Amino acid sequence: MPVRTSRPAGRLTVALALTLAACTLSAGPADSTPRPAPPHTTAALPPDDFYAPPATLPEGRPGDVIRSRKVDPGTPTPRALADTWQVMYRSTDALGGPHAVTATVLVPKGGSPASRPIVGWGPGTQGPAFRCTPSRMIAKGALYEQWVINAMLKAGYAVAVPDYEGYRPGPKTTYMVGKSLGPALIDAVRAAQRLPAAGLSADAPVAFRGYSQGGGAALWAGETKADYAPELNLKGIVAGGVPGDLMEVALPLNGRAGSGFLFYALIGLDHAYPELKFGGVLNDAGRAMVADLEAGGCALEMINKYGNKSLSAYVTRSPLVDAPWVARYTENTLGAASKIKVPVFQYHATQDALVEPNQADALHKAYCAQGVPLTWKTYDTTGRPPISDHLWPIQAANAEAMTYLADRFANRPAAPDC
């Protein structure tokens, strides 16, 4: 089938994009007038000790809730739309061991919670520092994708938003490690279902959705689900801007606008897999870079401070061809042997400074060859500046993504175009 390409028309309908492009998403796609970002809440965040995992995990299954607390998001729209909880739950790390992850669960107000579908939303890149934790961003009104979550709440869907592994005081995040991303997203949905106060059904129809890192998380959850969570009533997956092949994504980033994301990915892999020993090849500048990012770096700092830098400035030699690294980033490549059986809507920018388009196209073709019922679409970003070209499809695809979710939850047949 030919590739369908769409270039969104009209004015920008959200002001892109707080942490990823030095501006803020402030309005939903139905609003054609850009508006300034809403003010951040001045209220103090809840105590940080909520995020510290217990010294010994309680017995249980992946998705079991360890602790929870009700919170108020930092912007008025989600406060009006939903009851919101932060949860800590059991999940599975990249090595297959149990660990604790935190998430936000949002349930639309009114009606019967038990009748609501659940969307596991994988947030995009936030950054390595504890202050960048997605649930903390929601709590202080600074999550750049909040408008997407709001749209799903307005449609009547409960939304579970994982923080992914390692967001805690003294963070050790495992950025871009699919073997950790998939379970974290799946178990956020399970935790939402098992949170008594939320009132959601264990049999609720479920979808996974996300963009960029979150699009990868959605597809990793899809690939993981058959063996890891066969009980979930999964109806479909929406995944945009997917970094499916880590090496193919990494190489074009070095020395360019998105080089900070490359450095963060190496830090994330190193946290997930102790045998990689990234610290052993860092020079003084590299050690300072890692410490700086983990102390306070969010996505904006990765762009402004570490963009257009070469990896060679931070290492004594590149570790990327070392056998342990090759094994781990190969292991964390999507599409090797997919067990996805539900319909998938995958989309990507035609020009993308952060996530190489060709590897996404290769992933969609691999899925089609494996029989995944997939719909593929590209959005024309020719002429958009670096980073903006990556961000634009978040908005451009939202209406189609929402329709795709509605059709899956209504059990309407998909129309794959493989």
Side-chain angles (χ1 to χ4, degrees):
M1 295 293 289
V3 172
R4 295 187 294 136
T5 302
S6 173
R7 183 174 179 86
R11 289 188 296 169
L12 197 64
T13 58
V14 290
L16 292 166
L18 188 60
T19 55
L20 288 184
C23 44
T24 304
L25 288 166
S26 60
D31 184 353
S32 63
T33 304
R35 293 195 289 253
H40 293 177
T41 179
T42 57
L45 289 175
D48 291 344
D49 58 5
F50 179 86
Y51 292 88
T56 301
L57 285 181
E59 293 295 323
R61 304 165 294 163
D64 281 357
V65 175
I66 297 170
R67 62 177 70 123
S68 66
R69 62 183 178 187
K70 197 166 186 183
V71 297
D72 287 322
T75 46
T77 299
R79 288 201 300 268
L81 289 173
D83 293 311
T84 303
W85 294 264
Q86 291 174 346
V87 297
M88 177 180 283
Y89 57 95
R90 285 179 60 103
S91 191
T92 304
D93 66 19
L95 296 174
H99 69 133
V101 178
T102 50
T104 303
V105 174
L106 304 99
V107 179
K109 294 180 178 179
S112 170
S115 67
R116 297 197 180 280
I118 305 170
V119 179
W121 168 258
T125 304
Q126 303 300 315
F130 177 51
R131 73 183 183 93
C132 318
T133 306
S135 61
R136 301 187 85 222
M137 289 290 189
I138 292 170
K140 65 183 179 182
L143 188 78
Y144 63 87
E145 300 161 319
Q146 183 67 55
W147 67 275
V148 184
I149 296 172
N150 294 346
M152 293 187 286
L153 295 172
K154 289 176 183 177
Y157 310 147
V159 184
V161 187
D163 290 337
Y164 306 132
E165 180 180 359
Y167 277 111
R168 59 180 188 262
K172 297 291 183 184
T173 59
T174 57
Y175 179 58
M176 294 314 307
V177 177
K179 296 294 186 180
S180 176
L181 293 174
L185 183 54
I186 288 172
D187 291 331
V189 172
R190 284 168 155 169
Q193 293 174 314
R194 296 174 194 172
L195 179 66
L200 301 171
S201 171
D203 299 319
V206 170
F208 301 133
R209 183 185 177 190
Y211 188 82
S212 195
Q213 180 189 14
L219 287 177
W220 275 110
E223 289 201 4
T224 305
K225 186 264 179 195
D227 296 326
Y228 186 74
E231 83 284 359
L232 284 186
N233 183 17
L234 185 63
K235 296 293 187 177
I237 300 169
V238 176
V242 176
D245 186 317
L246 296 188
M247 182 52 66
E248 293 296 324
V249 171
L251 292 177
L253 292 177
N254 193 26
R256 298 182 181 175
S259 54
F261 295 82
L262 166 61
F263 307 152
Y264 184 22
L266 298 178
I267 294 168
L269 283 161
D270 185 59
H271 285 327
Y273 302 111
E275 78 275 12
L276 298 184
K277 296 180 173 58
F278 188 38
V281 300
L282 293 172
N283 58 23
D284 288 345
R287 286 186 286 273
M289 176 267 290
V290 172
D292 179 52
L293 284 174
E294 295 196 323
C298 294
L300 191 58
E301 287 74 29
M302 287 159 49
I303 294 167
N304 288 344
K305 196 168 184 178
Y306 294 102
N308 300 304
K309 302 290 179 64
S310 173
L311 178 61
S312 63
Y314 301 103
V315 296
T316 57
R317 63 176 183 82
S318 173
L320 294 181
V321 297
D322 292 352
W325 284 86
V326 172
R328 291 306 190 184
Y329 58 68
T330 300
E331 178 183 337
N332 285 278
T333 297
L334 283 164
S338 175
K339 295 184 179 180
I340 297 175
K341 303 299 181 185
V342 299
V344 174
F345 175 36
Q346 184 190 350
Y347 60 96
H348 211 95
T350 56
Q351 171 183 294
D352 190 330
L354 294 186
V355 182
E356 164 60 39
N358 289 332
Q359 59 83 40
D361 185 34
L363 175 62
H364 117 256
K365 290 173 180 174
Y367 278 152
C368 285
Q370 294 165 16
V372 176
L374 185 142
T375 300
W376 165 253
K377 186 167 183 178
T378 59
Y379 290 86
D380 188 357
T381 51
T382 304
R384 292 189 176 276
I387 299 177
S388 175
D389 57 9
H390 174 69
L391 293 166
W392 172 246
I394 304 175
Q395 178 194 350
N398 187 60
E400 288 174 274
M402 291 297 294
T403 298
Y404 198 84
L405 289 176
D407 286 346
R408 303 292 75 75
F409 288 142
N411 294 316
R412 288 187 277 269
D417 58 11
C418 288

